[in-house]
Amino acid sequence: MYNCPFMNSSNCMCNGCNPWMWYYYWNFMNYGKPYHYNYNYNKHYPMNYRYLDEDLDSEFINEIETNSYLDNDYINDMEANNYLDDYYNDTLETNNYLDDEYMDAVETNGYIEDPLLYEDSYDDTLDDSRQENMMMPNPGSLRWRPWETLPGRITSGPAVSSWARGRLDLFARGTKNELIHSWFANGRWYNWEDLGGILTSSPGAVSWGPNRIDVVVRGTDNSMYHKWWDGSRWSAWENLGGKLTSAPSICSWAANRLDCFCRGTDNQLYHKWWNGSKWSDWEALGGQLTSAPASVSWGPNRIDVFARGVRNTLIHKWWNGSRWSDWEDLGGYLTSAPCASSRGNNRIDVFARGRGNNLIYKYWNGSRWSNWGGLGGYLTSEPTSVSWDRNRIDVFAQGRNNSVIHRYAY
């Protein structure tokens, strides 16, 4: 426990209990941890800058108001260590939102001074006034690790699936337009392998059981092609027809069940499924899509499909086991196709690229949708996401220079 040097005196700036005041004061002045901290912080709220000038010395005020950024030494220290101060992280994760007064300060200054959580302009993660008082994107108090760059060069958005806890299978188009595959197992990433084909889109991938993976892509004739891993070897490519004007998406709600989606030549959503013994014909599901669709299942006979609509918002349609819903508009401002994953029954996590090329995030908690939040990064493709545990989300995208970037919550 740290003790406030002014506690119980006329100069006490925190009434003995506000860690936010000390977080900002001591991190700006000493580039270290807060000098005073009380673990009852969950009863208190962040302080607005406009209240500081009565309490903090003029040198600190001038540093905030004149320079309007964190000291370069502190920034470099944060970036080098690749994490936020533990006290600040714990406070965010416990409160799970930003105080309205603090948001007023953010909106006035135009950005959040946090290079790891919001790496680009704050305004770039928002689309309109509905999102100005957004919640932090932190369902269940998950902790988001900083972005990392993985080995390899890709020429499309990636796709990811998982068939076991601690297992990730990552796919993308390679430099020769071939399908390439890397996987995470035993705590490490394995080298990319060439799976052939000539891709004209990002791939889609799903697993419906242990040691099973199904991958779909668009080919040079705009048909959908399918390749699968059966536990011992990769199949040849299978042509499933269609006239795709987007990358395909694939999901599964049961063993040996596959549901595939794409945008057609009339910009409608199209659906094709494998019932365990044969493929269906393509069916039209309406809508006006301006991106590839994303699909996910959180339970038997349930499918949720997302896409970017004509106003660049997120649109959503679902199958409840007996019929398809109408499309609903979930807002936001998307500059890419969305992706979706599920961490459990009646839970959905949706990601997309926002205005500033950073990652934006919205989730369904079982009863309502969250506001949009920002997770930083610099994306040059749509993202992809998967969960191999109720308390784990992995997100991938193409970054600068055809790199693979990765961030996860745990």
Side-chain angles (χ1 to χ4, degrees), residues 62-207:
N62 290 339
E63 186 168 356
I64 293 177
E65 296 179 348
T66 301
N67 296 323
S68 193
Y69 58 85
L70 298 176
D71 183 272
N72 288 335
D73 292 338
Y74 180 55
I75 288 288
N76 293 335
D77 182 64
M78 289 180 74
E79 294 174 346
N81 289 299
N82 213 24
Y83 62 90
L84 294 176
D85 184 271
D86 290 339
Y87 297 110
Y88 181 50
N89 269 336
D90 290 344
T91 304
L92 282 179
E93 290 160 5
T94 301
N95 290 328
N96 204 28
Y97 61 90
L98 295 178
D99 181 79
D100 287 341
E101 291 179 348
Y102 180 60
M103 290 307 296
D104 290 341
V106 169
E107 290 160 10
T108 299
N109 292 328
Y111 58 90
I112 290 180
E113 298 176 341
D114 184 344
L116 292 180
L117 190 57
Y118 288 85
E119 297 176 12
D120 296 298
S121 168
Y122 173 82
D123 289 338
D124 287 339
T125 69
L126 308 177
D127 69 291
D128 54 37
S129 60
R130 291 173 298 171
Q131 298 181 39
E132 288 178 353
N133 290 310
M134 67 184 184
M135 293 188 301
M136 292 298 295
N138 191 24
S141 297
L142 297 181
R143 298 178 179 223
W144 283 98
R145 294 292 298 165
W147 287 98
E148 65 173 343
T149 301
L150 303 180
R153 289 174 59 82
I154 61 176
T155 61
S156 74
V160 64
S161 65
S162 176
W163 52 261
R165 180 181 173 84
R167 171 79 187 205
L168 295 168
D169 287 271
L170 189 63
F171 301 88
R173 185 177 62 185
T175 56
K176 299 179 293 182
N177 295 322
E178 79 282 22
L179 179 67
I180 56 175
H181 171 222
S182 178
W183 61 98
F184 182 84
N186 304 315
R188 72 179 184 92
W189 285 99
Y190 287 78
N191 292 334
W192 292 91
E193 64 172 340
D194 185 339
L195 296 180
I198 302 177
L199 282 61
T200 61
S201 75
S202 301
V206 73
S207 175

Side-chain angles (χ1 to χ4, degrees), residues 2-3 73 130 186 265 332 387:
Y2 293 95
N3 292 318
D73 292 338
R130 291 173 298 171
N186 304 315
T265 55
S387 289

Side-chain angles (χ1 to χ4, degrees), residues 139-140 142-143 165 343 387-393 409-410:
L142 297 181
R143 298 178 179 223
R165 180 181 173 84
R343 291 177 292 117
S387 289
W388 47 255
D389 184 86
R390 184 174 296 274
N391 296 311
R392 174 81 181 213
I393 312 171
Y410 63 104

